[in-house]
Amino acid sequence: MRRRVVITGMGVITPLGHSPADLYASQIEGRTAVGPFTRFDARTMPTTFASEVRDFELGTYLKRDLERYSHCGVNTQFAIGATKEALADAGLLDERIGDRSRMGVYLGSGEGAEDFPALMNSVGVATDPATMTADPKKFCAAIIDVLDRLREPEVEMHTTIGHLGTLFNLDGPNIACQTACAASSQAIGEAMELIRDGDADVMAAGGAHSMLHPLGIAGFNRLTALSQRNDSPRTASRPFDLTRDGFVIGEGAGLVVLE
């Protein structure tokens, strides 16, 4: 007989609130967090706005090893905040509670942000102005001197779940999936199956990601996927409207505790 699975905790870090209560209130009141990019100069891009998480401080959620985890991308930092909220909500934040080998993480998790300045500067060094082509050997020689050994592993999609398992002593299944817009739903569904099948007792599941960086936005613009309603970003999200011209990109993290 498969076990019944219930949600016992929730946590979010979003542009519309840093807790489930704040997020709910923002939605009921019809607020929007859409506005011009603040993290980089996007004036030359077709899309100059997004829904950014603001006023997030990792130190609010993390007291130990703060300097170490400050090297992480915002995707991981948001996940840390949301996971701590969810575990606290479920009464499982204390690592002495329960069999931690039976508690795990399943996260819909995309890649972290590239070191854009290092990448672009190295391309520039390796490019012949006459032919406008980059020499791979020159590129490798240039970039190896500027990559940050602490930052580069954060680009990998599995690094975030490793941090969550270590920080919160979740020593059970540790899994990430990257299935685009379906990733968080997949993570929650498969985490539920792990509990139903007896492979875990508790799972923190959900998603965390941010592509609000030059490469991410350039990529979506090349796909012609983003709205270019730069004159009215607050009204740009209109998915079922005849005048829609693309979606409005956001960022954040949301997790539930399943038991």
Side-chain angles (χ1 to χ4, degrees):
M1 182 182 211
R2 295 202 300 178
R3 298 187 294 175
R4 180 172 177 242
V5 181
V6 296
I7 295 173
T8 60
M10 298 184 292
V12 298
I13 301 295
T14 79
L16 285 173
H18 297 180
S19 71
D22 288 343
L23 176 59
Y24 180 76
S26 293
Q27 292 174 317
I28 292 298
E29 295 169 13
R31 301 178 201 161
T32 179
V34 179
F37 285 114
T38 63
R39 296 199 194 134
F40 64 94
D41 187 347
R43 286 177 296 176
T44 60
M45 290 187 166
T47 299
T48 61
F49 61 91
S51 189
E52 296 180 339
V53 171
R54 300 179 188 272
D55 303 320
F56 175 82
E57 295 288 343
L58 183 61
T60 303
Y61 304 90
L62 187 64
K63 303 305 179 186
R64 64 180 184 182
D65 297 327
L66 179 58
E67 182 177 355
R68 173 188 174 190
Y69 288 101
S70 294
H71 288 277
C72 298
V74 293
N75 57 323
T76 295
Q77 294 188 31
F78 297 159
I80 290 171
T83 302
K84 184 172 183 179
E85 282 185 7
L87 290 172
D89 192 29
L92 295 172
L93 194 56
D94 188 335
E95 62 189 53
R96 296 168 297 181
I97 296 174
D99 181 355
R100 308 305 276 202
S101 70
R102 300 279 300 169
M103 302 180 185
V105 182
Y106 200 140
L107 197 67
S109 177
E111 73 288 352
E114 299 277 358
D115 186 343
F116 187 75
L119 182 62
M120 291 298 101
N121 289 338
S122 299
V123 170
V125 168
T127 299
D128 182 346
T131 62
M132 293 305 292
T133 57
D135 184 321
K137 290 184 179 180
K138 289 182 178 179
F139 171 78
C140 291
I143 200 168
I144 199 169
D145 289 333
V146 293
L147 292 181
D148 186 323
R149 65 180 181 84
L150 294 176
R151 182 172 180 176
E152 287 311 307
E154 301 302 326
V155 176
E156 300 298 327
M157 62 176 283
H158 294 91
T159 306
T160 299
I161 56 169
H163 288 318
L164 297 181
T166 299
L167 273 171
F168 300 108
N169 293 94
L170 303 174
D171 298 328
N174 195 263
I175 308 170
C177 63
Q178 190 178 33
T179 46
C181 298
S184 299
S185 296
Q186 177 181 332
I188 293 172
E190 294 190 358
M192 178 184 68
E193 292 296 331
L194 287 171
I195 298 173
R196 279 182 171 175
D197 294 340
D199 295 320
D201 294 330
V202 177
M203 293 293 295
H209 200 199
S210 176
M211 293 196 75
L212 303 191
H213 51 79
L215 283 178
I217 300 305
F220 277 114
N221 273 145
R222 290 295 298 272
L223 290 169
T224 65
L226 297 182
S227 170
Q228 298 179 24
R229 203 176 293 275
N230 298 312
D231 58 336
S232 183
R234 292 170 65 87
T235 65
S237 182
R238 48 180 78 186
F240 305 109
D241 194 276
L242 183 64
T243 62
R244 67 192 182 277
D245 68 331
F247 72 89
V248 177
I249 194 168
E251 63 182 351
L255 283 94
V256 294
V257 174
L258 304 174
E259 297 192 53

